[in-house]
Amino acid sequence: MSGYENLLLEKEGGIAVVTINRPKALNALNAATINELDKIASQLVADDEVKVVILTGAGDKAFVAGADITYMQSMTAMDGRNWAKLAQAVFNKIENLPKPVIAAVNGYALGGGNEIAMACDIRIASENAKFGQPEVSLGIPPGFAGTQRLPRLVGKGRAKELLFTGDMIDAAEAYRIGLANKVVAPEELINAAKAMANKIMSRAPIAVQVCKSCVNEGLDVDLESGVAYEAEVFGLCFATADQKEGMTAFIEKRKPNFSGK
Ligand code: DAK
């Protein structure tokens, strides 16, 4: 029992697998699900047993087929604005979670589904995954930061093509343009995500966390500010036990045993 209506939570060996679980609506995001994602993000931050998070969708058809269209159909302008702000805040929280988050994209990742995948650090796609921002076919633009994260990931021209046409692309194309980090057979998806999570967990946790914050902070500021931030946190890492262990292990020609301190 996860204590959530629309999410499943499974924890094992430092990895938390969060599954968005509304398969009848292809895991579309309604307000209740967004609120639960907010809650679970706080829970995962506070849980010291959790080192890496994997986000996926229930069933074999969809990761998340978007924001729930039935829920949005009768919204007013103010409802729409508040809805976008609520989900944007939750997606920002996921993006800045102080632990790596891997999206295991197991089918349709459309609209809000692609947007939540993009808020994750890394996207592993199954061969049957499909990505797209079809909002213009519904009379709206993306509202969960798709117009901002997509060009940052795939570049301005490719992002505009996907946003203007609403076209879906398959996993191979998503990989080619840098939206997906890796493509694997559907039955391999969760194992591939766990293998990557395990590899990340074998590295120095504070150094990984610092890499995440350097990339996230640095991409939104000028290069000079980004490298200045990097220098500060680089210096701080010399106060960690893991820096001493990592370098000593190298010199002693053995594997490091990191403590996360
Ligand atoms: N919302 C609600 N229900 C959905 C859904 C969605 N996004 N996608 C699918 N479903 C439901 C279907 O209605 C259907 O329900 P029943 O008829 O069985 O009750 C069930 O899931 C199975 O779907 P289909 O029967 O359609 O399955 P198919 O295999 O034929 O097609 C499909 C799969 C993924 C191609 C198709 O379902 C589809 O095109 N779905 C809609 C995809 C889509 O357009 N997604 C983008 C949603 S818009 C904003 C805030 C947010 C956003 C924008 C603005 N502001 C506040 C400004 C974000 C918007 C979006 O994400």
Side-chain angles (χ1 to χ4, degrees):
M1 277 298 291
S2 68
Y4 295 95
E5 207 178 305
N6 304 294
L7 303 175
L8 304 173
L9 172 62
E10 201 186 291
K11 285 197 299 175
E12 201 193 331
I15 303 172
V17 180
V18 176
T19 304
I20 298 174
N21 186 33
R22 299 183 70 222
K24 282 191 185 136
L26 302 185
N27 306 319
L29 300 171
N30 57 6
T33 309
I34 294 284
N35 282 318
E36 288 192 352
L37 283 165
D38 186 29
K39 210 169 135 198
I40 210 164
S42 301
Q43 181 186 336
L44 295 168
V45 173
D47 189 339
D48 289 339
E49 282 176 11
V50 174
K51 311 294 183 200
V52 178
V53 178
I54 295 173
L55 181 68
T56 193
D60 52 13
K61 193 166 167 184
F63 171 68
V64 171
D68 193 316
I69 299 169
T70 341
Y71 174 75
M72 291 192 295
Q73 188 194 14
S74 56
M75 275 184 179
T76 64
M78 282 312 283
D79 291 341
R81 183 168 172 271
N82 293 338
W83 170 227
K85 281 187 181 276
L86 169 75
Q88 285 171 4
V90 176
F91 288 15
N92 288 345
K93 193 164 167 181
I94 293 170
E95 183 168 53
N96 294 309
L97 210 78
K99 307 181 182 191
V101 183
I102 301 171
V105 182
N106 55 316
Y108 292 111
L110 301 176
N114 191 42
E115 290 168 301
I116 197 169
M118 291 192 294
C120 298
D121 298 310
I122 291 165
R123 284 147 294 285
I124 303 185
S126 70
E127 283 159 353
N128 66 333
K130 294 253 192 306
F131 297 80
Q133 296 289 159
E135 285 87 346
V136 288
S137 317
L138 297 166
I140 53 173
F144 297 164
T147 63
Q148 303 306 304
R149 289 199 176 96
L150 191 58
R152 281 169 171 75
L153 270 173
V154 305
K156 219 171 170 180
R158 287 191 172 115
K160 284 181 177 167
E161 182 182 342
L162 287 169
L163 293 165
F164 297 176
T165 62
D167 279 350
M168 270 190 229
I169 55 171
D170 63 16
E173 177 67 357
Y175 175 72
R176 198 183 69 79
I177 67 174
L179 185 54
N181 293 66
K182 192 177 217 172
V183 181
V184 298
E187 62 279 10
E188 285 302 316
L189 182 63
I190 284 295
N191 282 343
K194 286 184 176 170
M196 192 179 285
N198 279 317
K199 181 180 278 189
I200 295 169
M201 281 194 291
S202 74
R203 311 307 189 207
I206 297 173
V208 170
Q209 194 182 326
V210 159
C211 287
K212 175 164 174 167
S213 79
C214 281
V215 173
N216 285 0
E217 300 291 327
L219 271 183
D220 292 328
V221 295
D222 60 279
L223 182 66
E224 204 181 333
S225 309
V227 295
Y229 180 77
E230 187 191 77
E232 294 303 320
V233 291
F234 177 79
L236 275 180
C237 281
F238 285 80
T240 65
D242 283 348
Q243 173 270 326
K244 290 175 185 54
E245 168 61 10
M247 294 192 182
T248 306
F250 176 81
I251 289 161
E252 293 176 355
K253 299 192 187 304
R254 62 173 173 81
K255 280 203 160 162
N257 182 14
F258 292 120
S259 60
K261 302 236 160 69

